[in-house]
Amino acid sequence: DVTPQGAAGMKALGVTPDYVAEMRAAGARIQSAGDAQSFRALGISPAAVRRTVARGRTNPSASDVMELSVRY
């Protein structure tokens, strides 16, 4: 469930149901509003998630994607 604060944060960052669906389809680990906000705030795209998964990190968090993005 999303709290009113979580909903406000998602709206402020432009996190939409479509964005969450695209990120999950790419393999992102989004289990909460905070997870979705982290991906969006860091500017992580579905393509970046797919690259992370291709490098062996399944179901990556935003931190996982950023860590591997810096390495490569």
Side-chain angles (χ1 to χ4, degrees):
D1 292 337
V2 178
T3 66
Q5 289 174 323
M10 290 173 68
K11 183 176 180 179
L13 288 169
V15 176
T16 64
D18 287 341
Y19 175 77
V20 173
E22 289 176 34
M23 295 299 284
R24 284 181 171 159
R29 182 186 334 148
I30 298 179
Q31 299 173 333
S32 68
D35 292 341
Q37 290 174 30
S38 293
F39 278 100
R40 190 63 156 179
L42 293 168
I44 297 171
S45 68
V49 173
R50 286 191 291 275
R51 284 191 300 271
T52 302
V53 171
R55 291 182 178 129
R57 190 74 60 98
T58 58
N59 201 9
S61 66
S63 296
D64 294 335
V65 176
M66 293 304 293
E67 178 184 331
L68 287 179
S69 295
V70 171
R71 286 185 185 177
Y72 296 95

